[in-house]
Amino acid sequence: MSNEFHWTCPFCNRDTTITEERLHSTWTDLTISNADGPRRLTSRFIICPNPQCQKTTLSVSLHVLEKNQFDQPRTGKCLRQWHLIPASRALAFPDYVPQSIINDYNEACLIQDTSTKASATLSRRCLQGIIRDFWKVKPGRLIDEIEQIKDKIDPLTWEAIDSVRKVGNIGAHMEKDIDLIVDVDPNEAELLIGLIETLIRDWYIAREDRKTRLLKIKQVADQKDQAKKGTVRAP
Ligand SMILES: [Zn+2]
């Protein structure tokens, strides 16, 4: 079974695929009878494959310890997650992404481990901020605003937003008033943050990259044009 997964390094921002050689993960099981039930604590080191970076990221997570059909212990639902190195998983985004969006995103990442509820609330506000700013939608409930951009965005992005919307309590989050705080589990908070990162990349960064590329083409064309005019004018 392949354990490869897509990952963005919080130090160098490079998008990579993490293979087994770059991942060190271990766990310890709590089996002493207790009021909360059996638990598994997993630790995960990831080493960035970018030769210029090679930084170590460390996170630990607490799970329900379950039994599989053969009575073997296995990792269950994630209860808590802690990003130890770096302390926040927040990626550094360029300055042209609106500051209010970056602020909400950074804050959502910072408190993701300590308060998933508050983190998800900030993520929702951030998501709404992105949709309003980028697509100039008519303000309403987040779910209605998402509906407004359905025909404007590429189908895959729409499906991603739609599938995140359907996970657990996130849907309730998007249907309710912005001030309402809804309970979410750590995986849901993580999913929302991942969605925000994707949208910032796919919309703001892609738009800026496109602009830069087109300007470059125009510049080169203009220079050629100037040079041509120059030769025409020359006797
Ligand atoms: Zn890196």
Side-chain angles (χ1 to χ4, degrees):
M1 196 182 73
S2 166
N3 285 322
E4 289 186 6
F5 59 93
H6 180 81
W7 183 75
T8 307
C9 175
F11 292 102
C12 69
N13 265 2
R14 182 80 62 95
D15 283 319
T16 55
T17 302
I18 296 300
T19 53
E20 260 169 52
E21 313 86 78
R22 298 285 168 176
L23 175 72
H24 177 79
S25 185
T26 51
W27 65 77
T28 175
D29 291 343
L30 171 70
T31 51
I32 301 169
S33 171
N34 69 84
D36 300 312
R39 292 290 183 260
R40 170 168 286 181
L41 184 75
T42 62
S43 63
R44 192 164 80 150
F45 288 95
I46 298 174
I47 315 301
C48 178
N50 171 11
Q52 271 85 52
C53 177
Q54 302 213 53
K55 289 265 198 187
T56 302
T57 301
L58 171 64
S59 64
V60 297
S61 50
L62 182 68
H63 301 259
V64 172
L65 179 61
E66 289 178 348
K67 291 264 174 73
N68 69 9
Q69 53 182 331
F70 308 108
D71 218 28
Q72 303 287 329
R74 71 163 181 208
T75 308
K77 184 182 182 241
C78 176
L79 301 166
R80 286 285 299 272
Q81 192 181 25
W82 296 269
H83 292 90
L84 300 179
I85 303 170
S88 163
R89 46 120 348 127
L91 304 173
F93 286 119
D95 292 342
Y96 53 75
V97 178
Q99 197 55 50
S100 59
I101 289 168
I102 296 296
N103 289 348
D104 279 349
Y105 162 75
N106 283 340
E107 190 77 14
C109 291
L110 201 65
I111 58 171
Q112 185 194 353
D113 301 339
T114 45
S115 172
T116 49
K117 263 198 270 196
S119 171
T121 303
L122 276 161
S123 288
R124 179 182 59 174
R125 193 170 82 173
C126 186
L127 187 62
Q128 192 157 38
I130 292 172
I131 293 174
R132 284 184 182 178
D133 173 70
F134 201 89
W135 296 102
K136 313 289 179 227
V137 296
K138 223 167 35 192
R141 290 182 312 167
L142 181 53
I143 188 160
D144 302 325
E145 296 176 6
I146 290 171
E147 207 57 48
Q148 287 179 52
I149 59 168
K150 188 175 181 178
D151 300 326
K152 297 179 184 170
I153 65 177
D154 82 285
L156 212 60
T157 309
W158 164 259
E159 276 168 35
I161 297 174
D162 201 42
S163 55
V164 170
R165 189 170 66 85
K166 285 174 184 153
V167 173
N169 277 327
I170 295 177
H173 241 275
M174 295 186 180
E175 284 160 30
K176 294 278 168 34
D177 186 63
I178 191 95
D179 300 321
L180 191 100
I181 294 167
V182 178
D183 250 324
V184 293
D185 72 36
N187 291 328
E188 293 172 5
E190 174 83 24
L191 214 56
L192 272 170
I193 288 174
L195 178 65
I196 288 167
E197 289 168 348
T198 303
L199 296 182
I200 291 177
R201 274 202 213 101
D202 286 2
W203 294 348
Y204 288 103
I205 295 178
R207 178 171 71 182
E208 196 67 19
D209 286 353
R210 181 170 176 269
K211 206 163 92 185
T212 310
R213 278 198 309 274
L214 290 174
L215 276 174
K216 216 177 240 169
I217 291 172
K218 194 175 170 304
Q219 258 171 15
V220 173
D222 285 352
Q223 274 166 11
K224 289 244 197 260
D225 195 40
Q226 287 296 322
K228 208 171 130 193
K229 276 181 189 152
T231 45
V232 169
R233 244 180 275 132

